[in-house]
Amino acid sequence: MRKRLVAGNWKMYKTPTEARMWFRDLVAKLPQTQAEPALLVPFTHLPYAAEILEGHGVYWGAQDVSAHNEGAYTGEVSAKMLADLACKYTIVGHSERRSYHAESDALVAQKARRLLEHGIVPILCVGEPLEVREAGHHVEYTLRQLEGSLEGVHPPSASSLVIAYEPVWAIGTGKTATPEDAEAMHRAIRGWLAGRYSSDFADQLRILYGGSVKPDNATALFSQPNIDGGLVGGASLKLEDYIKLLLA
Ligand code: PEP
């Protein structure tokens, strides 16, 4: 069975000091839940995550990684460094990186491979912009993006992979895909993965939905058969909301 994952993407919010207090609060208030909690935080917050969350069943990771292993790459952070901070997950291919930093599918695939080489699970984001959805080409667009972003990514290491379907028009906008529309895309993604790899591979892999997930819409989304949890931006910053999502 696929364990539900509720992954918070903090983007560029909170200082390390605020994060430290938030992590302590979470550990104190963590409810009994069937869901797996994970927080994808700015690099500067990771040492605190490792110190405070370890042993509490809450996992952590980064929002990006260098495509290089090591070297003269000013400003970059490698998968090896993230592994040293015990990151379990790390996001690759978020739409904000694809659009503001012109990240291509090939670069995203390279980053995913670096993470897998260091035992970190990539949370690989794909999803269509509004004009593609309106033109009705969202399935082909998203599957093409997935194919390019998985270049050179193979089992067995790829078996741990997590995919996040995040329609760009739903991220941070308050607009959410309907549970039925999201489910249809998740089913298409799982079908494509079965063809590319195998049915067993596709069946065990978690596909998260992301795009304005909130406590009041999470239950309807997460109860769809092919939606295995969420990648959550805004609502993961408030502790009370994040806890509600873990219980959705
Ligand atoms: C995200 O950052 O991946 C995201 C889905 O953001 P939000 O939940 O705020 O739409």
Side-chain angles (χ1 to χ4, degrees), residues 7-11 91 94-96 125 164-168 170-175 209-214 230-237:
N9 173 19
W10 277 14
K11 311 191 189 219
I91 298 173
H94 192 279
S95 67
E96 287 153 15
C125 301
Y165 168 58
E166 298 207 308
V168 177
I171 299 177
T173 59
K175 289 185 196 146
Y209 169 78
S212 299
V213 174
K214 304 271 182 285
L231 180 57
V232 186
S236 72
L237 291 161

Side-chain angles (χ1 to χ4, degrees), residues 136-228:
H137 301 315
H138 43 287
V139 174
E140 303 93 281
Y141 180 98
T142 302
L143 296 183
R144 207 172 325 116
Q145 206 177 36
L146 191 60
E147 182 169 24
S149 307
L150 285 174
E151 196 186 303
V153 174
H154 304 293
S157 72
S159 309
S160 62
L161 193 73
V162 173
I163 308 282
Y165 168 58
E166 298 207 308
V168 177
W169 47 270
I171 299 177
T173 59
K175 289 185 196 146
T176 317
T178 63
E180 296 72 26
D181 284 350
E183 169 63 15
M185 181 64 89
H186 283 227
R187 205 178 320 112
I189 291 173
R190 204 178 298 285
W192 182 87
L193 290 166
R196 156 89 188 242
Y197 298 101
S198 70
S199 303
D200 286 351
F201 177 92
D203 283 347
Q204 56 80 42
L205 188 141
R206 289 179 292 182
I207 307 175
L208 311 183
Y209 169 78
S212 299
V213 174
K214 304 271 182 285
D216 63 3
N217 60 24
T219 305
L221 286 159
F222 295 173
S223 57
Q224 296 297 315
N226 283 290
I227 299 185
D228 306 310

Side-chain angles (χ1 to χ4, degrees), residues 97-116:
R97 297 223 47 100
R98 288 180 187 266
S99 69
Y100 307 147
H101 300 271
E103 291 198 6
S104 64
D105 292 343
L107 181 68
V108 172
Q110 227 179 327
K111 291 182 174 196
R113 294 198 300 270
R114 290 293 89 76
L115 291 172
L116 290 167

